[in-house]
Amino acid sequence: MKVVGQSLPKIDALPIATGRPVYTEDMAPPQALVVKVLHSPHAFARLRQIDVSLALKVPGVECVLTYKDVPQERFTLAGQSYPEPSPYDRRILDEYVRYVGDAVAIVAAVDEKTAEKALQLIRADYEVLEPVLDFEAAEGHASIVHPEDNLHCNFPIGMKREKNIICTHKNEYGDVDAELAQCPVVVEETYYTQAQAHGMMETYRAYSYLDHAGRLTIVSSTQIPFHVRRQMAKALEMPASRIRVIKPRIGGGFGGKQTGAVEMFVAAVTKRTGKAALIVYSRTETFSCTNSRHAMRLTVRLGADEDGTIRAVDIQGLSDGGAYGEHAPTTFSVVGEKTLPMYHKARAVRFAGQVVYTNKLPGGALRGYGATQGTFAQESAVNLLAARLKMDPVELRQKNLIRQGDYSPIYKGKVLASSTLDQCITTGKNLIGWDEKYPVRDLGDTLRAVGMAVTMQGSGIAGIDTASAEVRLNDDGNYTLLLGSTDMGTGSDTILAQMAAEVLESDLEHFIVHAADTDVSPFDPGSYASSTTYVTGMAVKLAAEELRGKMLAQAAKVLEVPLDEVSFDGEMFYCEKMKTSLARVKLAERLALGIGKQQLTGQGTYGSPTSPPPFVAGFAEVEIDKATGKVTPIDFVAIVDCGTVINPALARVQTEGGIVQGIGMALYEEVRYTGQGRLETCNFMQYKIPCRKDVGNVRVAFEPSYEPTGPFGAKSIGEAVINTPAPAIAHAVFNATGVQLTQLPLTPEKVLNALLTKKRG
């Protein structure tokens, strides 16, 4: 392959480096109304009365909207294909506010100062209710977070609204309890994973306006433009045909922007006033008024023979859904779907539990999407089992892991078509120096320890998400690639262009990439679920192949030779037999002049019945200060099987970024609340994300496999890479202290307590 597999620079690398690209806020018309939202000061309350009369008297205030002024249709902000599994449990504005930060009113004014002044003049009288703040006490709590009786679920997700249960889930194969009863070795532990914030550079923002035909146009920093259109159609009670959503350049998302956040506020203002409107969330609002990773409690039981053969895996879970149910059923189900197949020799496996409502920030999508939480719990339990068996954790995993060609009942009997996980483990073990360093070395004032974990994810959502792409041959002989996917800085536009270029045997300089405009782009569910490379990539490949076929057919007509005698090298069409040729540019010119009577386009649509998993083996080396308990990352090695690596340089930085986020979850990051439900970690002074000095050395290598259902053999990479740091670092701490810490993050206080526990024997 000439283009695929090459570490080509991102097609927008130089503009980004020189500050030339424009983002959502840069594009807003200067006369746009500035929109601000009044947020609830209470974790749970009902509005008795709201008086906006003083706010409306402020010169320059265009409108003030309360729950009485907006449609009352319920919807979900989860960016998921219709019919969404997430419950329709919210309105644009509601009589009830369900967390500190929930929307109470919308103000639109000529400038920010005026809008802020108007916010302060709104008088809201609340009936303050007892909030549900502990997710372990949510079920059956005296307070019902959603007392209304008109919630709607598209599927029977096991909701018990009156008990604060959003959904229930169970996935089981075999008789787990009977199998555990027969196992000579059983380990059981309960693990807690915290809520984690996204921390993307660009906060949530959007603007809206009416075009010349009176259609509502929303320009938003979103991962899901087509889903936003559907959300707004329902929320505003408008036909989707009257709404257009455009995604310009986006400054990061990490899953947060797979959930709608601000689009409904500007859209409501534009619908009411007919004027353009702009909203830009502050960093505090981004932390406290949008969504975070679901906090979870996961109890794991593993049963094994004395030789280390794992015979049973049982995971019982409870997830904190927060005030609304966006992504609750799907994130929770992924906990089991992306962990239970890992250890293939188990005769019985089970994942079961529920997600509950609380009066806290809603849970949502964040890189890893449930697999991160599940991996921490299951891998920590496997490391506990290895210690109980006095067995090397590497050996234990190699003995039990699923391999290429194996069947998994969790995959409904489908065969695992591609995997080099065993090689990933071997390579990682050698790179970290496992045999020399395991388990711990005493350096006097500090301890040096190593730990490991493995993970799997998926590639798109099998049988649900379907993406389309279009490639056009332009009049100048160059190509336009039309996409509905979202490049969040990952370089997906570049790798998709590489795939098209590979098929058309061209250079990237001949491609114009246009992405994410619901009026122009072919449908794509958006950039989430690790779907872009695998699902959209296959659509691009099919589209380019169709265009190539049409170009060959037209060239054959021009050259007046049979189609099977024409070849194409990307620049020229040849007929060796007749010694004739035609340049691609000349063919394009003839078509533009009308001689060909058509513009040549190729279209591709792809949805996969499978979601082939990428795999990662992660190895951590950390240093622990005996006096303080501080854990300092020294080295992290990640070995990745993502199928064929389309662009090694971009895949490497994707992996490095995921590892850093995983280290943040392991050691530094935690969404915390006061006893009254107010967010404490509402800015980067309180919410600590790791900088370059906090993560130590990060090394990445690839062990490619070939996935037969993927474009050029590729699988996904975006999410799997975040999953191993937390369990691997926790394992290293376990090896150093002899105490397994079960609650993230691993703060110095927790580690110091473990060291003192070890000292006391």
Side-chain angles (χ1 to χ4, degrees):
M1 292 186 286
K2 297 180 180 179
V3 185
V4 165
Q6 304 304 309
S7 292
L8 302 179
K10 288 172 61 177
I11 57 178
D12 53 1
L14 185 59
I16 289 175
T18 54
R20 285 161 47 197
V22 293
Y23 295 80
T24 300
E25 187 180 5
D26 302 318
M27 300 170 63
Q31 73 277 13
L33 298 172
V34 174
V35 174
K36 292 289 182 179
V37 176
L38 179 66
H39 300 289
S40 169
H42 304 293
F44 194 25
R46 185 182 67 85
L47 279 164
R48 287 198 188 100
Q49 188 176 359
I50 184 164
D51 183 359
V52 301
S53 58
L54 291 176
L56 285 170
K57 291 178 181 178
V58 176
V61 171
E62 187 71 24
C63 72
V64 180
L65 304 178
T66 72
Y67 73 92
K68 298 177 181 179
D69 305 309
V70 295
Q72 297 299 295
E73 184 73 21
R74 294 199 180 273
F75 60 98
T76 177
L77 286 175
Q80 298 173 310
S81 293
Y82 180 83
E84 303 97 330
S86 298
Y88 290 11
D89 59 2
R90 69 156 73 229
R91 292 170 172 160
I92 298 173
L93 298 169
D94 203 330
E95 179 183 6
Y96 284 88
V97 286
R98 297 180 173 86
Y99 68 99
V100 176
D102 209 352
V104 176
I106 306 166
V107 170
V110 292
D111 57 36
E112 185 172 5
K113 184 178 180 179
T114 303
E116 292 283 5
K117 182 178 181 180
L119 283 181
Q120 296 172 12
L121 295 174
I122 296 173
R123 299 292 177 255
D125 179 24
Y126 299 95
E127 176 191 356
V128 179
L129 306 170
E130 182 185 356
V132 182
L133 298 177
D134 180 357
F135 78 110
E136 293 184 280
E139 182 182 355
H141 194 282
S143 294
I144 302 173
V145 176
H146 282 269
E148 66 276 14
D149 59 4
N150 62 345
L151 298 188
H152 172 70
C153 297
N154 291 320
F155 301 99
I157 61 174
M159 172 178 278
K160 297 177 183 176
R161 176 192 54 79
E162 68 283 357
K163 292 187 176 181
N164 290 324
I165 297 174
I166 303 174
C167 61
T168 56
H169 182 81
K170 187 174 184 179
N171 191 356
E172 184 174 13
Y173 173 79
D175 191 332
V176 172
D177 294 323
E179 198 65 41
L180 284 168
Q182 297 173 13
C183 289
V185 181
V186 176
V187 297
E188 178 177 349
E189 188 56 85
T190 298
Y191 302 93
Y192 289 85
T193 61
Q194 76 278 40
Q196 182 184 23
H198 301 85
M200 76 291 285
M201 292 179 68
E202 182 192 28
T203 62
Y204 296 85
R205 56 200 59 201
Y207 72 89
S208 58
Y209 62 92
L210 298 179
D211 69 10
H212 65 281
R215 294 176 70 225
L216 176 64
T217 300
I218 302 170
V219 182
S220 175
S221 177
T222 179
Q223 298 173 226
I224 48 163
F226 283 93
H227 293 333
V228 166
R229 182 178 65 179
R230 186 178 65 255
Q231 291 170 2
M232 294 304 98
K234 191 164 186 64
L236 299 168
E237 298 178 339
M238 291 177 61
S241 61
R242 301 296 298 167
I243 301 173
R244 177 186 185 186
V245 178
I246 300 171
K247 186 281 311 175
R249 183 172 303 281
I250 175 173
F254 304 118
K257 295 174 183 175
Q258 193 196 335
T259 304
V262 295
E263 296 88 353
M264 55 189 173
F265 301 132
V266 289
V269 168
T270 296
K271 186 180 180 185
R272 169 61 69 94
T273 66
K275 296 182 179 181
L278 167 69
I279 187 169
V280 177
Y281 261 6
S282 67
R283 181 60 63 181
T284 295
E285 287 176 305
T286 292
F287 271 116
S288 58
C289 307
T290 57
N291 61 96
S292 68
R293 185 187 296 282
H294 293 82
M296 293 188 189
R297 182 193 72 198
L298 298 167
T299 299
V300 185
R301 290 190 298 166
L302 296 180
D305 291 330
E306 292 178 350
D307 67 354
T309 301
I310 296 174
R311 291 170 51 182
V313 180
D314 184 28
I315 305 175
Q316 299 292 319
L318 180 68
S319 175
D320 187 347
Y324 299 98
E326 283 104 6
H327 299 279
T330 42
T331 302
F332 194 60
S333 67
V334 168
V335 173
E337 289 172 4
K338 308 306 180 188
T339 54
L340 295 182
M342 180 68 75
Y343 297 108
H344 177 66
K345 294 185 178 180
R347 301 173 188 172
V349 295
R350 177 171 61 199
F351 171 65
Q354 57 199 27
V355 187
V356 293
Y357 283 120
T358 60
N359 292 114
K360 292 188 286 188
L361 189 71
L366 200 159
R367 192 180 203 169
Y369 201 83
T372 308
Q373 296 96 311
T375 297
F376 172 70
Q378 179 169 277
E379 288 301 288
S380 294
V382 170
N383 287 325
L384 186 62
L385 176 63
R388 181 74 58 83
L389 293 168
K390 295 181 172 56
M391 188 174 183
D392 189 318
V394 171
E395 181 186 348
L396 179 62
R397 287 177 170 86
Q398 291 283 30
K399 184 180 184 67
N400 289 282
L401 63 85
I402 190 170
R403 298 172 187 266
Q404 184 170 309
D406 286 342
Y407 287 84
S408 169
I410 300 301
Y411 285 153
K412 298 179 174 61
K414 293 175 182 174
V415 68
L416 180 63
S418 61
S419 175
T420 56
L421 179 57
D422 54 337
Q423 296 161 243
C424 292
I425 293 174
T426 300
T427 300
K429 172 186 174 181
N430 293 334
L431 283 177
I432 202 75
W434 183 266
D435 290 338
E436 297 79 35
K437 298 175 181 178
Y438 174 77
V440 63
R441 292 168 292 159
D442 193 327
L443 304 182
D445 293 335
T446 62
L447 298 167
R448 281 278 185 100
V450 291
M452 73 161 299
V454 296
T455 191
M456 60 188 296
Q457 196 82 30
S459 301
I461 305 175
I464 295 178
D465 284 341
T466 299
S468 296
E470 182 176 333
V471 188
R472 297 175 183 170
L473 176 65
N474 299 324
D475 61 309
D476 59 1
N478 291 312
Y479 301 100
T480 295
L481 174 60
L482 295 170
L483 303 168
S485 59
T486 300
D487 191 331
M488 297 178 286
T490 58
S492 63
D493 285 355
T494 302
I495 64 168
L496 294 172
Q498 282 183 257
M499 294 182 193
E502 183 68 40
V503 173
L504 294 167
E505 299 186 61
S506 185
D507 297 326
L508 288 190
E509 65 185 29
H510 295 305
F511 281 84
I512 302 162
V513 180
H514 183 91
D517 178 338
T518 59
D519 269 11
V520 178
S521 303
F523 176 80
D524 191 290
S527 294
Y528 62 88
S530 299
S531 63
T532 306
T533 298
Y534 179 74
V535 181
T536 307
M538 185 59 84
V540 167
K541 182 174 181 287
L542 294 172
E545 288 171 346
E546 181 175 281
L547 176 58
R548 182 186 177 98
K550 290 181 178 180
M551 291 167 60
L552 284 165
Q554 286 293 326
K557 289 182 181 179
V558 174
L559 295 173
E560 298 180 339
V561 297
L563 174 60
D564 60 4
E565 294 182 8
V566 180
S567 59
F568 178 51
D569 66 1
E571 292 294 332
M572 302 290 294
F573 297 91
Y574 296 97
C575 176
E576 295 291 343
K577 184 177 181 180
M578 302 300 294
K579 305 298 183 184
T580 57
S581 63
L582 175 68
R584 181 191 77 243
V585 173
K586 291 299 181 182
L587 174 63
E589 290 174 355
R590 291 175 63 88
L591 294 169
L593 290 170
I595 298 172
K597 298 182 181 179
Q598 62 175 312
Q599 181 180 25
L600 298 186
T601 64
Q603 295 178 319
T605 298
Y606 186 71
S608 177
T610 63
S611 178
F615 295 94
V616 182
F619 293 80
E621 181 179 6
V622 304
E623 187 165 285
I624 300 172
D625 189 300
K626 292 181 181 179
T628 66
K630 181 182 178 182
V631 179
T632 301
I634 301 301
D635 194 13
F636 196 93
V637 170
I639 315 299
V640 183
D641 163 23
C642 59
T644 298
V645 186
I646 303 296
N647 186 314
L650 296 184
R652 184 176 303 279
V653 296
Q654 270 269 66
T655 305
E656 291 170 350
I659 290 168
V660 170
Q661 284 185 300
I663 292 173
M665 185 174 179
L667 297 175
Y668 310 113
E669 301 181 43
E670 183 178 18
V671 174
R672 297 192 311 273
Y673 297 85
T674 67
Q676 291 72 44
R678 182 175 297 277
L679 191 71
E680 289 184 321
T681 49
C682 58
N683 56 54
F684 281 127
M685 291 297 291
Q686 279 75 41
Y687 188 85
K688 301 297 185 182
I689 63 173
C691 71
R692 183 63 190 89
K693 292 184 177 181
D694 297 320
V695 297
N697 190 35
V698 175
R699 292 186 284 164
V700 176
F702 299 96
E703 288 288 350
S705 62
Y706 185 87
E707 173 52 47
T709 66
F712 305 99
K715 299 186 285 190
S716 73
I717 191 173
E719 292 186 278
V721 292
I722 196 176
N723 295 339
T724 59
I729 291 171
H731 185 212
V733 172
F734 178 34
N735 288 331
T737 65
V739 178
Q740 187 174 76
L741 299 183
T742 59
Q743 187 168 359
L744 296 176
L746 306 176
T747 61
E749 294 85 351
K750 295 173 187 175
V751 177
L752 183 58
N753 283 334
L755 287 169
L756 294 175
T757 299
K758 179 182 181 182
K759 188 175 182 180
R760 290 192 297 265

